[in-house]
Amino acid sequence: MIPLSVLDLSPITEGGTAAQALANTLDLARNADRLGYRRYWVAEHHNSPGIASAATSVVIAHIAAGTSTIRVGAGGIMLPNHAPLVIAEQFGTLAALHPGRIDLGLGRAPGTDMETARALRRNLNAGVDSFPQDVVELIGYFHAAEPSQRIRAVPGEGEDVQVWILGSSTYGAQLAARLGLPYAFASHFAPAEMEHAIHIYRSRFQPSARLEKPYVMLGLNVIAAPTDAEAELLFSTQQQALVSILTGRPWRLPPPVAGYRSQIEPTARAMLDQSLSCSIVGSPAIVRSGLDAFIRRTNADELMVTSQIFDHSARLRSFEILADAHRELSKAG
């Protein structure tokens, strides 16, 4: 059975605080570690009222220090916002502190609006267009330094940091294939090009010193509860959050609303159905069958699960139900 991993945005709920969100993130990470999840990633977003993981490397350090075996990383670092050397030093430091446990997923989107991106970078001239060169430069800092090398990442050089390319289109698939890196596709919110991107990546993959054969991880929304009705109610939180983003009004993670989908305009329903088509919502039996079907459909090497649930205890329970379903499928072969 393929591994399961966790993607967490450290959601700040309505009425909650960033401190509570980060405490919940560590608690969920510890539970994921105990339940056998492979890795735990947090994502870089800026100027987002409902996301507490903006200082991504700081949050990763907090999670890694509070867990024992689970891999911890970024899903991802939006590289156009940063100098490659700075990220090499940050993740080199994390790898020195937590050997063999640090992942670095790299994306080319800003993770925010253009005005905020300008505040982050000061200069937008060298951004998305230089992404491939920046990735190569960053990876180079993790190599053992040459005797004549004038710029070095310390910590960083020689550290075991697993580098991934992230994507929600075919661009990332092509780059990951060309560089021989593992590829994570954001099918949990942008599934339209998932099959095409997987095909491009696998068919064009060039082995590298970092990876011998293609490795695909897919994003998947899972909202699990004891009953289908409760899971559907919990899912309304994620639906509301996505509608607020798509309509340009992002806010803190809202509490669930009964019958939410039927209350919104047909256009918004269509956007939800398209964006969240890679979702499993329901009781343990639904989760088990949905997980099996998604794996068979995509032939993914790993799944990265996200669960935008308002109540923290319900989110913990959702990941526990998923872990149980995963074990049952593993036993069944």
Side-chain angles (χ1 to χ4, degrees):
M1 196 62 183
I2 68 172
L4 296 181
S5 294
V6 178
L7 174 63
D8 181 19
L9 300 182
S10 296
I12 305 172
T13 58
E14 288 187 9
T17 65
Q20 291 170 340
L22 293 168
N24 289 342
T25 281
L26 181 57
D27 188 44
L28 179 58
R30 285 170 170 162
N31 276 273
D33 200 0
R34 174 180 59 83
L35 292 168
Y37 285 86
R38 169 70 60 86
R39 60 189 93 237
Y40 195 102
W41 282 7
V42 291
E44 177 189 347
H45 290 269
H46 300 280
N47 199 26
S48 297
I51 298 175
S53 55
T56 314
S57 59
V58 178
V59 179
I60 290 169
H62 181 59
I63 297 168
T67 53
S68 57
T69 60
I70 195 168
R71 296 188 66 92
V72 185
I77 290 292
M78 301 298 104
L79 194 53
N81 296 337
H82 309 279
L85 177 60
V86 172
I87 298 303
E89 291 172 340
Q90 289 178 4
F91 280 78
T93 300
L94 289 167
L97 292 169
H98 308 284
R101 294 181 57 206
I102 300 301
D103 297 335
L104 172 54
L106 298 173
R108 66 191 283 261
T112 188
D113 58 89
M114 284 298 101
E115 186 176 355
T116 306
R118 187 172 289 106
L120 286 164
R121 304 179 205 168
R122 301 294 178 185
N123 176 15
L124 294 181
N125 293 331
V128 171
D129 293 340
S130 64
F131 181 67
Q133 294 84 359
D134 288 346
V135 171
V136 171
E137 178 185 343
L138 174 53
I139 291 174
Y141 289 127
F142 293 132
H143 297 161
E146 299 292 336
S148 60
Q149 186 171 329
R150 297 184 62 187
I151 301 175
R152 300 163 61 174
V154 183
E157 60 187 35
E159 293 290 353
D160 178 21
V161 178
Q162 191 175 103
V163 179
W164 294 66
I165 297 296
L166 313 183
S168 57
S169 68
T170 58
Y171 179 94
Q174 296 175 62
L175 181 61
R178 188 165 77 246
L179 297 180
L181 295 173
Y183 179 52
F185 187 84
S187 37
H188 59 293
F189 73 86
E193 293 191 89
M194 178 181 69
E195 281 94 351
H196 190 201
I198 294 172
H199 172 73
I200 286 175
Y201 172 66
R202 287 178 170 153
S203 63
R204 301 183 185 180
F205 182 83
Q206 300 177 23
S208 70
R210 286 184 165 265
L211 193 65
E212 293 182 357
K213 59 182 181 179
Y215 192 94
V216 174
M217 179 161 62
L218 300 178
L220 180 67
N221 302 295
V222 178
I223 309 292
T227 67
D228 292 344
E230 183 180 354
E232 290 289 348
L233 176 62
L234 296 176
F235 190 40
S236 68
T237 286
Q238 187 162 350
Q239 292 171 323
Q240 294 175 74
L242 184 57
V243 168
S244 71
I245 292 171
L246 293 174
T247 55
R249 299 189 301 270
W251 190 237
R252 296 182 177 184
L253 198 68
V257 173
Y260 172 74
R261 186 180 178 280
S262 64
Q263 300 171 21
I264 59 178
E265 296 293 328
T267 302
R269 283 201 297 271
M271 287 192 300
L272 281 181
D273 292 344
Q274 194 282 323
S275 298
L276 298 178
S277 62
C278 291
S279 300
I280 302 171
V281 180
S283 62
I286 293 294
V287 170
R288 187 166 56 251
S289 62
L291 184 62
D292 185 45
F294 188 76
I295 294 170
R296 291 178 184 276
R297 170 189 162 196
T298 63
N299 196 29
D301 298 295
E302 187 172 340
L303 299 181
M304 177 149 280
V305 176
T306 186
S307 299
Q308 292 285 78
I309 296 175
F310 180 80
D311 181 72
H312 180 60
S313 62
R315 188 163 66 138
L316 293 176
R317 183 183 60 187
S318 181
F319 278 103
E320 289 173 355
I321 292 172
L322 176 59
D324 288 342
H326 183 258
R327 279 192 293 269
E328 292 173 12
L329 287 173
S330 297
K331 291 177 182 178

